[in-house]
Amino acid sequence: MILILFDFVLIITLPLLGWAVLATEDIFKAVVLFVSFGLLMSLAWVRLNAPDVALAEAAIGAGVTGALFLSALNKLERSVKHERRINRDEEKEAINEREI
Amino acid sequence: MNGGLTGMKKRKQSMKGKFKRKDWQFATLTSLLIATLVTFLCWAILKEPPGEDLTAEALAPLFVQSGVTSPVTAILLNFRGYDTLLEVMVLFLAGLGIWSQATVDPTNPLVFSSPATHPTKPNFHGPGPELILATLVRILIPLMVLVAGYLTWAGGFQAGGAFQGGALLGGAGILLILAEPQRISTIPPALIRFGIVLGPAIFLLVGVSCFGYGGNFLQYPQPGAGSWLLLIEFGAAISIGITLTTLFVGGRPDPKRLKGTDQP
Amino acid sequence: MTITTGYIISALLLFGIGMNGLMTCSHQLRKILAVNLMASGVFLILIVTGFGTDGSAIDHVPHAMVLTGIVISVSTTALALTLACRIQQRLNRSADETAEGNDDD
């Protein structure tokens, strides 16, 4: 019973996390959410009786891919000057305009 | 001046408004189309009656024949060895593509070396890692290598295998590079190249040497198939680990800077 | 309505969300993340097809395929990220050159 509940939580959380990865404003937050998505995915593999895939997903899908994205984000931010901050400023500007 | 600025701002706003409306229409269109696609796929998959289950008992003799008792490893390396060989080659090609695309400064490998217009600041303060990080790395790295070796070996009879072990090795390498980015300049590039090629080379050599035993390509000789598989797995694990680390570094060490690390 | 049906719907939703993000997001990293989400959805469907109803009868071929797929997806992701970084570098360089040209005027 408790395992079925666990399954339901996974089934609902996985698409929600996937949506959150693509919907968050901050790209850094998106990468962190993607890493947590990978960890939940490896839980799903365990529930689906695929321990080999769970091991590989935990090590590669969550660990190495997250590290790759973070290092690429580091390089991109170094080259796109203050990209994240520009987005936030625009957001603030939009909020100010709405208030006016 | 002021008027020009407000005019520009107004124009920008109107442009933004136009883009927003177009974006909104485009987003609605794509999400509608994709919702249709997903509904159709859902119907197609759920309509399909579940196929006849392959029982583990019926397949057990085949797995014993393959030289390993873990079914996934048997499928990966024996029954569908071609797939795995090609996969190792894809990983190798990705490493090759990245090395041909970019160079990194070996004294500070976490940034690109080429653009002179963007001077790069070193990421880490001081010459070495801080105390906690250094201690953590000193304890964790040998443990990770040990567990990676165990996972690779355990792939023969339980969950585990070359990919899991290799991924763990790659994680250890990434941790090492994050802790001491400058250390990469002390590794001879030839060693890295050798490590990357090792796995695919062993796989290919074993595959070709199967001809000598009267089999086809990757059709291992029957009594000792397990040891062949173990050899392939260890080679592949080492290569996957090193390749993942080089993927993380994201470029080949710049040979010009590699030679001139001591004298400017 | 068994639990595998739930996993299939979840996987298809993931695929759709990823595809939508691939089309509508403009940032390169976000696009690559979207492709990874799509891949996760496909892997989930593959594994669920190999999952017997009672949990004892399991087809291991999809497991091997998904293991292969995970490693392939990480290598393509790494290559795509490097290409994205290179593209950004080029764009910045040309933008700097035009900015310098404007300063001269």
PDB file of all heavy atoms in Angstrom, chain B residues 241-264:
ATOM      1  N   GLY B 241      35.240   6.363 -17.698  1.00  0.00           N
ATOM      2  CA  GLY B 241      35.580   7.309 -16.637  1.00  0.00           C
ATOM      3  C   GLY B 241      36.419   8.461 -17.160  1.00  0.00           C
ATOM      4  O   GLY B 241      36.105   9.635 -16.924  1.00  0.00           O
ATOM      5  N   ILE B 242      37.477   8.132 -17.905  1.00  0.00           N
ATOM      6  CA  ILE B 242      38.369   9.196 -18.389  1.00  0.00           C
ATOM      7  C   ILE B 242      37.644  10.074 -19.404  1.00  0.00           C
ATOM      8  O   ILE B 242      37.769  11.304 -19.398  1.00  0.00           O
ATOM      9  CB  ILE B 242      39.649   8.568 -18.981  1.00  0.00           C
ATOM     10  CG1 ILE B 242      40.431   7.887 -17.855  1.00  0.00           C
ATOM     11  CG2 ILE B 242      40.513   9.631 -19.623  1.00  0.00           C
ATOM     12  CD1 ILE B 242      41.616   7.128 -18.330  1.00  0.00           C
ATOM     13  N   THR B 243      36.814   9.444 -20.272  1.00  0.00           N
ATOM     14  CA  THR B 243      36.113  10.245 -21.277  1.00  0.00           C
ATOM     15  C   THR B 243      35.118  11.194 -20.634  1.00  0.00           C
ATOM     16  O   THR B 243      35.004  12.356 -21.036  1.00  0.00           O
ATOM     17  CB  THR B 243      35.379   9.325 -22.272  1.00  0.00           C
ATOM     18  OG1 THR B 243      36.260   8.309 -22.696  1.00  0.00           O
ATOM     19  CG2 THR B 243      34.908  10.106 -23.467  1.00  0.00           C
ATOM     20  N   LEU B 244      34.410  10.717 -19.605  1.00  0.00           N
ATOM     21  CA  LEU B 244      33.445  11.606 -18.940  1.00  0.00           C
ATOM     22  C   LEU B 244      34.167  12.788 -18.304  1.00  0.00           C
ATOM     23  O   LEU B 244      33.681  13.922 -18.346  1.00  0.00           O
ATOM     24  CB  LEU B 244      32.648  10.844 -17.888  1.00  0.00           C
ATOM     25  CG  LEU B 244      31.568   9.916 -18.421  1.00  0.00           C
ATOM     26  CD1 LEU B 244      30.880   9.196 -17.295  1.00  0.00           C
ATOM     27  CD2 LEU B 244      30.542  10.700 -19.207  1.00  0.00           C
ATOM     28  N   THR B 245      35.340  12.520 -17.730  1.00  0.00           N
ATOM     29  CA  THR B 245      36.094  13.622 -17.135  1.00  0.00           C
ATOM     30  C   THR B 245      36.526  14.625 -18.198  1.00  0.00           C
ATOM     31  O   THR B 245      36.430  15.837 -17.988  1.00  0.00           O
ATOM     32  CB  THR B 245      37.317  13.073 -16.396  1.00  0.00           C
ATOM     33  OG1 THR B 245      36.905  11.973 -15.595  1.00  0.00           O
ATOM     34  CG2 THR B 245      37.924  14.114 -15.506  1.00  0.00           C
ATOM     35  N   THR B 246      36.991  14.108 -19.344  1.00  0.00           N
ATOM     36  CA  THR B 246      37.402  15.060 -20.395  1.00  0.00           C
ATOM     37  C   THR B 246      36.189  15.803 -20.953  1.00  0.00           C
ATOM     38  O   THR B 246      36.305  16.967 -21.323  1.00  0.00           O
ATOM     39  CB  THR B 246      38.118  14.353 -21.550  1.00  0.00           C
ATOM     40  OG1 THR B 246      37.301  13.286 -21.990  1.00  0.00           O
ATOM     41  CG2 THR B 246      39.454  13.824 -21.138  1.00  0.00           C
ATOM     42  N   LEU B 247      35.022  15.144 -21.005  1.00  0.00           N
ATOM     43  CA  LEU B 247      33.812  15.851 -21.435  1.00  0.00           C
ATOM     44  C   LEU B 247      33.526  16.998 -20.486  1.00  0.00           C
ATOM     45  O   LEU B 247      33.111  18.081 -20.899  1.00  0.00           O
ATOM     46  CB  LEU B 247      32.600  14.914 -21.469  1.00  0.00           C
ATOM     47  CG  LEU B 247      32.528  13.801 -22.491  1.00  0.00           C
ATOM     48  CD1 LEU B 247      31.160  13.170 -22.457  1.00  0.00           C
ATOM     49  CD2 LEU B 247      32.825  14.301 -23.873  1.00  0.00           C
ATOM     50  N   PHE B 248      33.741  16.764 -19.185  1.00  0.00           N
ATOM     51  CA  PHE B 248      33.484  17.816 -18.216  1.00  0.00           C
ATOM     52  C   PHE B 248      34.458  18.976 -18.395  1.00  0.00           C
ATOM     53  O   PHE B 248      34.073  20.135 -18.334  1.00  0.00           O
ATOM     54  CB  PHE B 248      33.585  17.257 -16.796  1.00  0.00           C
ATOM     55  CG  PHE B 248      33.473  18.305 -15.745  1.00  0.00           C
ATOM     56  CD1 PHE B 248      32.246  18.878 -15.471  1.00  0.00           C
ATOM     57  CD2 PHE B 248      34.587  18.739 -15.043  1.00  0.00           C
ATOM     58  CE1 PHE B 248      32.131  19.857 -14.513  1.00  0.00           C
ATOM     59  CE2 PHE B 248      34.476  19.722 -14.079  1.00  0.00           C
ATOM     60  CZ  PHE B 248      33.242  20.279 -13.824  1.00  0.00           C
ATOM     61  N   VAL B 249      35.729  18.640 -18.633  1.00  0.00           N
ATOM     62  CA  VAL B 249      36.711  19.714 -18.843  1.00  0.00           C
ATOM     63  C   VAL B 249      36.333  20.507 -20.089  1.00  0.00           C
ATOM     64  O   VAL B 249      36.482  21.726 -20.129  1.00  0.00           O
ATOM     65  CB  VAL B 249      38.126  19.115 -18.947  1.00  0.00           C
ATOM     66  CG1 VAL B 249      39.115  20.164 -19.361  1.00  0.00           C
ATOM     67  CG2 VAL B 249      38.530  18.520 -17.630  1.00  0.00           C
ATOM     68  N   GLY B 250      35.805  19.844 -21.097  1.00  0.00           N
ATOM     69  CA  GLY B 250      35.217  20.546 -22.233  1.00  0.00           C
ATOM     70  C   GLY B 250      36.214  21.072 -23.240  1.00  0.00           C
ATOM     71  O   GLY B 250      35.960  22.074 -23.899  1.00  0.00           O
ATOM     72  N   GLY B 251      37.352  20.431 -23.405  1.00  0.00           N
ATOM     73  CA  GLY B 251      38.287  20.872 -24.435  1.00  0.00           C
ATOM     74  C   GLY B 251      39.631  20.237 -24.193  1.00  0.00           C
ATOM     75  O   GLY B 251      39.891  19.711 -23.109  1.00  0.00           O
ATOM     76  N   ARG B 252      40.469  20.266 -25.211  1.00  0.00           N
ATOM     77  CA  ARG B 252      41.790  19.670 -25.009  1.00  0.00           C
ATOM     78  C   ARG B 252      42.692  20.711 -24.347  1.00  0.00           C
ATOM     79  O   ARG B 252      42.514  21.912 -24.549  1.00  0.00           O
ATOM     80  CB  ARG B 252      42.375  19.203 -26.327  1.00  0.00           C
ATOM     81  CG  ARG B 252      42.803  20.304 -27.249  1.00  0.00           C
ATOM     82  CD  ARG B 252      43.344  19.757 -28.536  1.00  0.00           C
ATOM     83  NE  ARG B 252      43.708  20.840 -29.426  1.00  0.00           N
ATOM     84  CZ  ARG B 252      42.840  21.551 -30.110  1.00  0.00           C
ATOM     85  NH1 ARG B 252      41.564  21.300 -30.005  1.00  0.00           N
ATOM     86  NH2 ARG B 252      43.239  22.530 -30.904  1.00  0.00           N
ATOM     87  N   PRO B 253      43.643  20.222 -23.540  1.00  0.00           N
ATOM     88  CA  PRO B 253      44.585  21.163 -22.933  1.00  0.00           C
ATOM     89  C   PRO B 253      45.385  21.875 -24.005  1.00  0.00           C
ATOM     90  O   PRO B 253      45.855  21.249 -24.960  1.00  0.00           O
ATOM     91  CB  PRO B 253      45.482  20.263 -22.082  1.00  0.00           C
ATOM     92  CG  PRO B 253      44.728  19.010 -21.895  1.00  0.00           C
ATOM     93  CD  PRO B 253      43.846  18.852 -23.082  1.00  0.00           C
ATOM     94  N   ASP B 254      45.475  23.181 -23.863  1.00  0.00           N
ATOM     95  CA  ASP B 254      46.165  23.986 -24.859  1.00  0.00           C
ATOM     96  C   ASP B 254      47.654  23.655 -24.838  1.00  0.00           C
ATOM     97  O   ASP B 254      48.322  23.866 -23.828  1.00  0.00           O
ATOM     98  CB  ASP B 254      45.951  25.465 -24.520  1.00  0.00           C
ATOM     99  CG  ASP B 254      46.181  26.330 -25.720  1.00  0.00           C
ATOM    100  OD1 ASP B 254      46.766  25.805 -26.696  1.00  0.00           O
ATOM    101  OD2 ASP B 254      45.781  27.498 -25.687  1.00  0.00           O
ATOM    102  N   PRO B 255      48.204  23.089 -25.929  1.00  0.00           N
ATOM    103  CA  PRO B 255      49.598  22.648 -25.872  1.00  0.00           C
ATOM    104  C   PRO B 255      50.574  23.803 -25.672  1.00  0.00           C
ATOM    105  O   PRO B 255      51.615  23.636 -25.037  1.00  0.00           O
ATOM    106  CB  PRO B 255      49.810  21.963 -27.221  1.00  0.00           C
ATOM    107  CG  PRO B 255      48.725  22.468 -28.093  1.00  0.00           C
ATOM    108  CD  PRO B 255      47.583  22.796 -27.208  1.00  0.00           C
ATOM    109  N   LYS B 256      50.216  24.990 -26.192  1.00  0.00           N
ATOM    110  CA  LYS B 256      51.130  26.126 -26.043  1.00  0.00           C
ATOM    111  C   LYS B 256      51.308  26.485 -24.571  1.00  0.00           C
ATOM    112  O   LYS B 256      52.389  26.724 -24.097  1.00  0.00           O
ATOM    113  CB  LYS B 256      50.584  27.328 -26.805  1.00  0.00           C
ATOM    114  CG  LYS B 256      50.941  27.319 -28.276  1.00  0.00           C
ATOM    115  CD  LYS B 256      50.290  28.487 -28.991  1.00  0.00           C
ATOM    116  CE  LYS B 256      49.169  28.023 -29.866  1.00  0.00           C
ATOM    117  NZ  LYS B 256      48.236  29.057 -30.234  1.00  0.00           N
ATOM    118  N   ARG B 257      50.169  26.498 -23.873  1.00  0.00           N
ATOM    119  CA  ARG B 257      50.244  26.889 -22.466  1.00  0.00           C
ATOM    120  C   ARG B 257      50.794  25.753 -21.608  1.00  0.00           C
ATOM    121  O   ARG B 257      51.311  25.981 -20.534  1.00  0.00           O
ATOM    122  CB  ARG B 257      48.862  27.268 -21.971  1.00  0.00           C
ATOM    123  CG  ARG B 257      48.254  28.343 -22.801  1.00  0.00           C
ATOM    124  CD  ARG B 257      47.415  29.245 -21.964  1.00  0.00           C
ATOM    125  NE  ARG B 257      46.664  30.149 -22.832  1.00  0.00           N
ATOM    126  CZ  ARG B 257      45.930  31.116 -22.366  1.00  0.00           C
ATOM    127  NH1 ARG B 257      45.819  31.297 -21.091  1.00  0.00           N
ATOM    128  NH2 ARG B 257      45.280  31.907 -23.187  1.00  0.00           N
ATOM    129  N   LEU B 258      50.615  24.519 -22.106  1.00  0.00           N
ATOM    130  CA  LEU B 258      51.089  23.381 -21.332  1.00  0.00           C
ATOM    131  C   LEU B 258      52.594  23.429 -21.199  1.00  0.00           C
ATOM    132  O   LEU B 258      53.142  23.122 -20.151  1.00  0.00           O
ATOM    133  CB  LEU B 258      50.657  22.089 -22.039  1.00  0.00           C
ATOM    134  CG  LEU B 258      50.681  20.843 -21.187  1.00  0.00           C
ATOM    135  CD1 LEU B 258      49.693  20.962 -20.060  1.00  0.00           C
ATOM    136  CD2 LEU B 258      50.347  19.635 -22.025  1.00  0.00           C
ATOM    137  N   LYS B 259      53.260  23.840 -22.291  1.00  0.00           N
ATOM    138  CA  LYS B 259      54.720  23.859 -22.238  1.00  0.00           C
ATOM    139  C   LYS B 259      55.201  25.044 -21.419  1.00  0.00           C
ATOM    140  O   LYS B 259      56.192  24.968 -20.730  1.00  0.00           O
ATOM    141  CB  LYS B 259      55.287  23.923 -23.646  1.00  0.00           C
ATOM    142  CG  LYS B 259      55.370  22.543 -24.256  1.00  0.00           C
ATOM    143  CD  LYS B 259      55.707  22.622 -25.723  1.00  0.00           C
ATOM    144  CE  LYS B 259      55.466  21.285 -26.394  1.00  0.00           C
ATOM    145  NZ  LYS B 259      55.192  21.421 -27.812  1.00  0.00           N
ATOM    146  N   GLY B 260      54.469  26.147 -21.502  1.00  0.00           N
ATOM    147  CA  GLY B 260      54.947  27.374 -20.865  1.00  0.00           C
ATOM    148  C   GLY B 260      54.380  27.610 -19.490  1.00  0.00           C
ATOM    149  O   GLY B 260      54.186  28.755 -19.105  1.00  0.00           O
ATOM    150  N   THR B 261      54.062  26.544 -18.746  1.00  0.00           N
ATOM    151  CA  THR B 261      53.456  26.787 -17.439  1.00  0.00           C
ATOM    152  C   THR B 261      54.470  27.334 -16.454  1.00  0.00           C
ATOM    153  O   THR B 261      54.121  28.085 -15.556  1.00  0.00           O
ATOM    154  CB  THR B 261      52.862  25.491 -16.875  1.00  0.00           C
ATOM    155  OG1 THR B 261      53.760  24.435 -17.131  1.00  0.00           O
ATOM    156  CG2 THR B 261      51.513  25.207 -17.470  1.00  0.00           C
ATOM    157  N   ASP B 262      55.739  26.942 -16.612  1.00  0.00           N
ATOM    158  CA  ASP B 262      56.724  27.390 -15.631  1.00  0.00           C
ATOM    159  C   ASP B 262      57.265  28.771 -15.980  1.00  0.00           C
ATOM    160  O   ASP B 262      57.279  29.674 -15.162  1.00  0.00           O
ATOM    161  CB  ASP B 262      57.889  26.378 -15.556  1.00  0.00           C
ATOM    162  CG  ASP B 262      57.431  25.084 -14.893  1.00  0.00           C
ATOM    163  OD1 ASP B 262      56.581  25.175 -13.995  1.00  0.00           O
ATOM    164  OD2 ASP B 262      57.927  24.019 -15.284  1.00  0.00           O
ATOM    165  N   GLN B 263      57.680  28.921 -17.254  1.00  0.00           N
ATOM    166  CA  GLN B 263      58.206  30.227 -17.634  1.00  0.00           C
ATOM    167  C   GLN B 263      57.162  30.940 -18.489  1.00  0.00           C
ATOM    168  O   GLN B 263      56.527  30.306 -19.332  1.00  0.00           O
ATOM    169  CB  GLN B 263      59.533  30.081 -18.398  1.00  0.00           C
ATOM    170  CG  GLN B 263      59.460  29.345 -19.720  1.00  0.00           C
ATOM    171  CD  GLN B 263      59.733  27.867 -19.525  1.00  0.00           C
ATOM    172  OE1 GLN B 263      59.475  27.308 -18.476  1.00  0.00           O
ATOM    173  NE2 GLN B 263      60.252  27.229 -20.556  1.00  0.00           N
ATOM    174  N   PRO B 264      56.970  32.204 -18.243  1.00  0.00           N
ATOM    175  CA  PRO B 264      55.936  32.945 -18.984  1.00  0.00           C
ATOM    176  C   PRO B 264      56.298  33.181 -20.447  1.00  0.00           C
ATOM    177  O   PRO B 264      57.451  33.151 -20.803  1.00  0.00           O
ATOM    178  CB  PRO B 264      55.857  34.273 -18.242  1.00  0.00           C
ATOM    179  CG  PRO B 264      57.136  34.402 -17.504  1.00  0.00           C
ATOM    180  CD  PRO B 264      57.635  33.028 -17.223  1.00  0.00           C
TER     181      PRO B 264
END
